[in-house]
Amino acid sequence: MGGTIGTDVELAAGLLRSGKPVGMPTETVYGLAANGLNPDAVAQIFEIKNRPFFDPLILHVSSIQQAKRYTHSWSPEAEKLAAHFWPGPLTLVLPKNPNVPDIVSSGNPTVAIRIPNHPVAQSLLNSVDFPLAAPSANPFGYVSPTTSTHVFNQLGDKIPYILEGGTCDNGLESTIIACLPNEKPKILRLGSLAIHDITSVIGNVDESITQNSNPSAPGQLDQHYSPYCKLLPLEQIDILPSPITQQDKFAVLFFDLAKKRELIEKNIDVFYLSENSDTREAAHNLFSMLRRFDELGYTQVWFQWAPEVGLGRAINDRLKRAAAKR
Ligand code: TXA
Ligand code: MG
C-alpha cells in the first residue's frame, strides 16, 4: 500500500475503524496510531516500526473521563497533573483496567496515557469511539518525526495515510511520570514538559531514573533516537575537533549562536539549535536537525551539550542516547 499525506480526518478515522494504522500529528512528535482496543491493529504498529513487543505503547484519549475508562486508582497527584497539564505533553503511567489489551502495555499491570494538545489529533480522537495507541512514527531506534514528510520518508510505503498537522510545536516527546498507589510519583522519561513545571504542581518527585545510565523502565534504552551519522560530544567547546578520517564529512552542532560566527571563518560547517539560547526552541529543532545531518550526508557531528535548565536536561538525554554506541 502506498501512503499519502492529507487533511481528511474522516478518511483517517475510517481507516482506523477498519483496523489500519495512520500517521497522526501531535504537539510533541508525529505518532503512528491504531485502534488501541484492537490487538491486531496494534500488532501492525510493532511490525511497521520493527519495535520489540516488550516496549509498551501510549494510549491517546480525548478526555479525562475517557482516560478513566482504561485506568484505575488515580492518586491525588495524578488527578492534579491531569487537571493541570492535559491536554499537553505529559504522559501518566497508571494501573490499567482489564479492557486494555496486553499488547498495548506489554503485559504490564500499568498503562501509559495522555491527551494530546493538537487540534488535528483531537478531532481524530473525537471521530472514533476508541483510544489510539501511538508510538512515535519512526523505525525503532531512529530519531522521532516532527513533520509529516519525516513520517512519509520512512514509513510512507507501510501505512495508508498520514494526517497533515504542520511542524510539531514541541518537537520532543512527552514527559512520562508513573503515579502508582503508595509510591512517590516517578519520572520515567524526560520530555517536553520540564520537571520544574511538574514539581511546582505536586512537589517533589522521584527523579532517580534520570540520573541512571541503565534505567529499568521499558523503552529507556541507552541507544535510541539515533541518526546514522556519528555524534560526538564536545566536552570543551574551545578546542576545535577535526575529522576522524579524511573521508568523514564533518560538522559541529552548537546549542546557540554564540560560537557559530568564529567557526564559520574557519571553514567548518556549523549548525545551532537555538537562535535565542532558548531550550524550548532548541527542543523544537533538535530532531529535525539530526535528520538533516543524515540528509546532507554528514558522517561525523560534534555537538555541544545544552545548558541543564528548562528543557535542557531532556535535550541532553536525547543527545546522550543518540550518541551512544550501537
Ligand atoms: O510524545 C509522545 O509521547 C509521543 C506522541 C506520539 O504521543 N509518543 C511516544 O511514544 O513517544 P513512544 O512509544 O515512542 O514512547 C513511549 C514510551 C516508551 O519508552 C515506553 O517504554 C514507555 O513510553 N511506556 C509506555 N507504557 C509504559 C508503561 N506501562 N510503563 C512504563 N513505560 C511505559
Ligand atoms: Mg519513540
Side-chain angles (χ1 to χ4, degrees):
M1 58 188 163
T4 51
I5 300 175
T7 56
D8 190 340
V9 171
E10 211 19 71
L11 175 66
L15 288 164
L16 291 167
R17 281 183 214 110
S18 65
K20 303 261 184 346
V22 302
M24 167 179 80
T26 83
E27 80 281 29
T28 57
V29 300
Y30 273 73
L32 177 58
N35 177 348
L37 301 182
N38 175 344
D40 292 333
V42 175
Q44 291 176 52
I45 293 179
F46 285 90
E47 195 179 316
I48 290 167
K49 277 186 60 107
N50 201 13
R51 177 178 175 119
F53 284 106
F54 64 73
D55 194 3
L57 305 178
I58 297 174
L59 280 185
H60 297 70
V61 293
S62 58
S63 66
I64 293 178
Q65 191 191 2
Q66 192 191 9
K68 289 187 173 175
R69 256 182 252 156
Y70 306 109
T71 54
H72 64 85
S73 308
W74 282 54
S75 64
E77 290 91 349
E79 296 278 2
K80 278 190 202 160
L81 290 171
H84 229 88
F85 296 113
W86 281 359
L90 177 73
T91 295
L92 296 176
V93 168
L94 297 164
K96 84 172 189 74
N97 282 341
N99 54 0
V100 177
D102 280 336
I103 190 171
V104 171
S105 62
S106 300
N108 284 294
T110 57
V111 66
I113 198 157
R114 82 177 187 100
I115 305 178
N117 187 18
H118 189 294
V120 175
Q122 287 178 356
S123 93
L124 185 61
L125 284 163
N126 286 325
S127 306
V128 294
D129 58 3
F130 42 79
L132 295 176
S136 51
N138 51 282
F140 185 70
Y142 194 72
V143 181
S144 301
T146 56
T147 67
S148 57
T149 309
H150 292 163
V151 182
F152 182 83
N153 288 347
Q154 289 191 302
L155 303 180
D157 58 343
K158 299 193 176 88
I159 54 180
Y161 200 61
I162 301 162
L163 264 182
E164 177 60 63
T167 300
C168 301
D169 275 349
N170 295 359
L172 201 64
E173 295 86 350
S174 59
T175 301
I176 305 180
I177 184 164
C179 291
L180 302 177
N182 310 316
E183 283 178 25
K184 193 172 186 180
K186 186 173 182 175
I187 302 294
L188 298 183
R189 177 177 73 184
L190 294 171
S192 300
L193 185 67
I195 303 290
H196 173 79
D197 293 328
I198 292 175
T199 56
S200 70
V201 172
I202 59 167
N204 274 350
V205 295
D206 179 349
E207 292 183 52
S208 53
I209 201 147
T210 65
Q211 281 117 42
N212 187 340
S213 70
N214 191 15
S216 58
Q220 285 291 82
L221 303 176
D222 280 352
Q223 190 261 317
H224 212 71
Y225 312 105
S226 304
Y228 301 119
C229 65
K230 191 177 179 59
L231 286 174
L232 300 147
L234 275 174
E235 297 300 353
Q236 279 177 292
I237 61 166
D238 295 327
I239 301 177
L240 283 187
S242 50
I244 294 176
T245 71
Q246 288 294 308
Q247 288 76 43
D248 272 316
K249 183 172 172 188
F250 145 86
V252 179
L253 173 63
F254 283 116
F255 174 71
D256 58 18
L257 265 173
K259 278 269 153 193
K260 180 182 149 100
R261 291 194 187 88
E262 60 181 89
L263 283 205
I264 278 183
E265 287 153 23
K266 300 196 166 103
N267 249 344
I268 292 177
D269 293 351
V270 283
F271 298 83
Y272 57 92
L273 289 174
S274 169
E275 193 159 347
N276 302 308
S277 308
D278 169 26
T279 58
R280 273 182 181 280
E281 186 192 354
H284 172 86
N285 291 330
L286 176 67
F287 285 149
S288 57
M289 185 65 79
L290 296 183
R291 272 174 195 261
R292 193 133 75 99
F293 293 138
D294 283 347
E295 284 157 16
L296 296 174
Y298 287 100
T299 57
Q300 191 197 347
V301 177
W302 293 83
F303 66 91
Q304 178 185 11
W305 297 109
E308 294 257 317
V309 295
L311 296 183
R313 287 172 60 190
I315 293 169
N316 288 342
D317 170 81
R318 299 303 188 273
L319 284 169
K320 188 178 81 194
R321 292 178 209 281
K325 284 206 179 61
R326 257 162 257 250

